[in-house]
Amino acid sequence: MTSPPPDACDVLVVGAGPAGSACALWLARQGHAVVLADQHAFPRDKVCGDGLIPDAHRALQRLGLLREVSARACIAPHLACISALGGQVEVPGRLAVLPRRELDDILRRGAEDAGARFAAGCRFDAPWVEDGRVVGALLRTPDGQHPIRARWTVLATGAVPQALIAAGMCERRAPSGVALRGYIRHPGLAERLRSMQVVWHRRLRMGYGWIFPGPEGVFNIGVGLAHGHARADGPRRRSVADLNLREMLATFGELHPPARELFEGGQWLGPVKGAPLRCSLEGAELARPGLLVTGEAAGSTYAFTGEGIGKAMETGLLAAEALLAGGDDDAAVCERYQATLRALKPRFDLYERANRVNDHPWLADLLIWRARRNPRILQRMSGVLEETHNPGQLVTLRGLARLMLPVRN
Ligand SMILES: Cc1cc2nc3c(=O)[nH]c(=O)nc-3n(C[C@H](O)[C@H](O)[C@H](O)COP(=O)(O)OP(=O)(O)OC[C@H]3O[C@@H](n4cnc5c(N)ncnc54)[C@H](O)[C@@H]3O)c2cc1C
């Protein structure tokens, strides 16, 4: 089903994923006339692990949607980090799993409830430019091209770069990584496996596997290569493109007993699907007069973990705040938005560095082995999850040297 867009609005947000809906909700709540356009009718599927970590909980809380999401989601008691040698450590944190089909629909409805108008079946074709300033967009609907005038346009179109390219904001077409997931129903295992599991193994090198238990006995299982683009281009490394994710998923089933149990005794729901990731706040220009880029289109997903739902909402909110604060001053809006994202960049860089755990799974062995013996290391891992602790410190040379020291409590 499609819903035609109006001819004009204050802010046109393109893309109704977590970034776009958060941005639209926030602006509409402040009384702005917002159109939230997406190429798809909702609810729609989005290839994802569906895992909600603490940053997503915080953003949902801010948006006033945490209660609704938590009531529908499967709450996980901890994140089980599992290494090649079979070591396991359970990292506590606020964790939940909800299929994106449902999560994104809750967010999209939240934006509508706040007053945004949702336009389904509208694909962003190109920006509408007058005198060098973006004054809206040309949206493609089944009836043809539809121009919409907007004081500001926010691109929240995710990891597929076509809209970025069309808007002249793409600096790098190649993704930072790729990941693949499927859904398997297995009510028997659901009674026993309640934590979110992430598994490192040398046979999954350059990536990791996951099993996330969702509602109604359905598991999200997948493998990902949330890999830095710079690293993937390194001469001594296999290129990400060389890696076959389907083979990697099959390998995951061979080496991790719960994955094997799912494959052998569970019921597949729909096909296995893959999608790209854009990480580390790289690969796109963030702003030009009349247009902001936010969410994964701006590279808002963390390298190393591939987590991006929370950061997509956070950056969407930052775009909304820059628009609210900057008023009619183009330069002020662009400068404020770029500055707030620049301030986040060091943290994203640390996740890029922490990515070496995916390259060298023995690091996961070491970390997990030590965390099982030292509650302070486990506490630090929980701090990384909650973002109160720096992930780089766990895998720098100094951090590693500290791991080798005798346990001190
Ligand atoms: C396999 C996989 C597993 C992942 N697992 C997790 C996980 O467990 N937890 C986590 O936090 N993150 C995970 N991520 C990352 C997460 O999916 C992204 O970070 C997040 O979806 C980014 O949100 P977004 O709103 O920026 O973009 P998206 O969620 O991709 O939303 C973009 C929206 O824009 C629309 N759109 C695109 N182009 C156009 C256009 N031209 N015109 C109109 N509309 C358009 C799309 O239809 C879509 O609705 C995973 C990613 C992958 C690929």
Short mmCIF file of all heavy atoms in Angstrom, two decimals, residues 150-152 193 197 310:
data_model
loop_
_atom_site.label_atom_id
_atom_site.label_comp_id
_atom_site.label_asym_id
_atom_site.label_seq_id
_atom_site.Cartn_x
_atom_site.Cartn_y
_atom_site.Cartn_z
N ALA A 150 10.70 21.09 0.88
CA ALA A 150 10.92 21.01 2.34
C ALA A 150 12.02 21.98 2.72
O ALA A 150 13.00 22.13 2.01
CB ALA A 150 11.34 19.59 2.73
N ARG A 151 11.84 22.61 3.87
CA ARG A 151 12.88 23.52 4.36
C ARG A 151 14.18 22.73 4.58
O ARG A 151 15.24 23.16 4.24
CB ARG A 151 12.36 24.16 5.65
CG ARG A 151 13.35 24.95 6.42
CD ARG A 151 13.42 26.42 6.02
NE ARG A 151 14.60 27.02 6.62
CZ ARG A 151 15.69 27.40 5.94
NH1 ARG A 151 15.74 27.33 4.64
NH2 ARG A 151 16.73 27.89 6.57
N TRP A 152 14.03 21.50 5.14
CA TRP A 152 15.18 20.61 5.31
C TRP A 152 14.80 19.19 4.90
O TRP A 152 13.66 18.77 5.10
CB TRP A 152 15.65 20.58 6.77
CG TRP A 152 16.48 21.76 7.13
CD1 TRP A 152 16.02 22.96 7.60
CD2 TRP A 152 17.90 21.89 6.99
NE1 TRP A 152 17.07 23.82 7.78
CE2 TRP A 152 18.24 23.19 7.41
CE3 TRP A 152 18.91 21.04 6.56
CZ2 TRP A 152 19.55 23.66 7.42
CZ3 TRP A 152 20.22 21.50 6.56
CH2 TRP A 152 20.53 22.79 6.98
N LEU A 193 17.77 -21.79 26.28
CA LEU A 193 18.72 -20.76 25.85
C LEU A 193 18.05 -19.39 25.89
O LEU A 193 17.21 -19.08 25.03
CB LEU A 193 19.23 -21.07 24.43
CG LEU A 193 20.52 -20.39 23.98
CD1 LEU A 193 21.07 -21.07 22.74
CD2 LEU A 193 20.37 -18.92 23.73
N GLN A 197 23.79 -14.85 22.51
CA GLN A 197 25.12 -15.47 22.40
C GLN A 197 25.90 -14.88 21.23
O GLN A 197 25.37 -14.75 20.13
CB GLN A 197 24.98 -16.97 22.14
CG GLN A 197 24.34 -17.73 23.26
CD GLN A 197 24.58 -19.24 23.09
OE1 GLN A 197 24.69 -19.73 21.97
NE2 GLN A 197 24.65 -19.95 24.20
N GLY A 310 20.72 1.36 18.22
CA GLY A 310 20.78 2.45 19.20
C GLY A 310 21.45 3.68 18.64
O GLY A 310 20.97 4.81 18.79
#
